Amino acid sequence: MYDMPVSLQDCCIDFISDHLQDLCNASATENPCVKKLTFKDPDIFFHGELSEQLLQTLCEKGKLTDETLSLFDPNVTNLKRVSIRDAQLSAKGLRILKMHKISELEIIGLRTATVNDVIGCLGEWTLSNLRSLNVNNSTFVNSTKFCVVVSLSKLHNLQSLNVSNTEFNKHGLEIIVEDLPCLVNLDISSTQILDISPLRKCKDRLKSLSMYNLVASNQDDVVPVLCELTKLVHLDVSEDSSMQPFVNVNSGKFAILNLLLRQRCLPNLTSLDISGKDGANEEVLRKYLNQHSKLNFLGLALTEYCEYSMFTNDQSPDFKGTLTVTGEADERQIMEALRRYVCRCVYVQKSLYTLFRLTQVMLKSREDIIKLVLPAMKSHPKQLGVQMAATACLYNLSKGEVGTKVHPACLTHIVNLTLLAMENFPNHQQLQKNALLTLCSDRILNDVAFDRFRCAKLVMECLCQFHDPSMNRMSVAICSILAAKISTDQTSSLGAKPRYMRKMLQLVKSKVESNAIDITLKFTLSALWNLTDESPATCRVFLNEGGLDLFMAILQTVSAMEVDVRTQVETKILGLLNNIAEVTDLRDYLMRDDFLMLSKQLLRASQIDVSYFAAGIISHLASESIQKWLVVSIKEEILKELRDVVIQWKQPEGEMVAYRSFNPFFPLLRCFDCPAVQLWAVWAIQHVCTKNSSRYCPMLEREGGAEILMELINNPETDENVASIAQKILAFGKCPSVQRVPRDDQMSVPVPCPSAENQA
């Protein structure tokens, strides 16, 4: 498992694309809605490769607009090969291309300007020297609803033209075969051409012809015309069952058998694609292949031909081992189909469905397959069939032991496309379930880089939308982990939504009422615990939705259960209530006799996890002024018990708890009238600092905790047990910003050590 690091060049281009507003000046244009951008650095220049990469990156990020395209001034950039996909650009914005010398132009999916507009935006040099033009899925139709293709005749040296999925028609075909004398590669797939007879005029030069999903008005004319194209080395006559935008249902698609029976025509073919064409048989295909020894590729997807032994069985006497074949008969064919047909929805869906069956029994990591599934999935984000099959395949290819061998960078792409599928199909239960299965992985949730907040939101929506027990279990499991890894602002945004809180509390209630203390309940309690951590808004919603009464009832219910189960539930519940106790404005909710007595009872629990959090709740409540306590004697009694319990604790072997910050402890450390409260606080700080020093010692120093501990040590009124633990914390952490002094020195102010600069 390895991957190349991102190059410095890629990082720089990525940074520039994300920070244009910081790196550029914007000036007014004749269009008040569009600014002209220029780089602030007057000496900057992007050579050809960098210019093209910046353009492509802006396009991939969805940031290519008329405004950002204005950056590509020829004095600053140099464009020779231009590739623009699915961008919202106007003819005015595209005029920047006029000043560049472009040899290859690809503008795919442009619907806000016509192909005629694009050609009108090219300079004289480009019009005379353009070698390749791809306008797939763009439009030739102008504002008056006429299809205008005459501008193509200006491109006298054009060698390759792709007009697939456009309104291109027979009239346009007649123009280009007459006016483009250098044309050798032509793609007219899924266009309005019903008659290909004009191709006879370029029969002596056309080398590549793609006519996927092309409907002929007269089937009998197709094969004779094709057979006259004697220079062809590539021919694609494939089709599928989907209705294309310009298909005439009264027209037919020619029978492939008529072509295959002419075994001596097209002798120079090296590539033939007849995918989706039925009507042939094994014997005809064998004879045709025997007469075309130059063939190295044969497209047979969506046909039964791909299952013939000559393509699948290497023991067969007529096995075509040197022939690359697409189809669904075996893994090799499927992978080739995914590689070649990434833009064909029907083909991709069929390949993925077949691949899914193979991935169910794969025992080894197959990152090579994943890298074919991802582009196919990305190309069809709104096609449910593709997304269903893709998410199912990705789960099989990333789960369990197989997933441990997949590189984290690859897993990042899996997660990002899975989240996009969840966003596009929020109401489809099985797709959401596929996504949860993939995401519910310790390795993915802990080790892989992705937008965890986005993921948590989608999973919470899934939790509220569906009532499937297995989906509920996965949803709360994912949220319980992610909630601890996102910022407090983000946890507040999630947890403060009453709908989310209500759903989780309903889950808890139903589990307890049915006496099902299972993994779903434990994950839900963990999620609630993490969502309330340092989030007053979430704590308030929890209280408003009746969470406190529910949790107190649960604590009483589990008291009769076996120790291990009881301890896990009590720890999670008390951890959450500890979060509430940290919020000054919410402590009144906890100042009730039944809760205080229950907390006092759990303080004496034999399990230190339970006792620890019960002590934390009491410490926070005791830090309140005496007026908040209805009975002073109760507070004194509880504080005495708190002190006795904490003094008896021994540090456990493992880390009991994780904290985002020490800020909630600082008010407790300053409670000089409640030494027991200070004692719990320093014990807690010592616990995490000794168990995870690399994380917590710098945090303590950074947040000013070391100075507060020094104040305790140097204050003669500090309880000796508190001071002793504080000294141990500072000694263990070796905090550099304060100098420890003996307690009998009676100094009340910590002595600063020399600055880092002086030390250096």
Side-chain angles (χ1 to χ4, degrees), residues 62-77:
K63 296 181 178 181
L64 191 62
T65 62
D66 286 351
E67 193 168 282
T68 54
L69 192 59
S70 68
L71 273 175
F72 293 86
D73 185 287
N75 295 317
V76 178
T77 60

Side-chain angles (χ1 to χ4, degrees), residues 457-475:
K457 285 191 295 184
L458 290 168
V459 171
M460 289 298 288
E461 285 295 328
C462 188
L463 176 66
C464 294
Q465 179 78 7
F466 305 104
H467 305 289
D468 179 279
S470 63
M471 293 178 71
N472 287 343
R473 182 184 69 251
M474 290 187 287
S475 295

Side-chain angles (χ1 to χ4, degrees), residues 517-532:
I517 311 299
D518 58 9
I519 193 68
T520 301
L521 173 63
K522 294 172 185 175
F523 277 134
T524 307
L525 293 175
S526 293
L528 286 166
W529 184 4
N530 286 329
L531 287 170
T532 54

Side-chain angles (χ1 to χ4, degrees), residues 52 134 238 288 386 432 484 494 679-680 692:
E52 291 158 12
N134 181 353
S238 59
Y288 189 85
V386 172
Q432 295 287 324
L494 282 177
L679 184 62
W680 177 82
N692 191 347

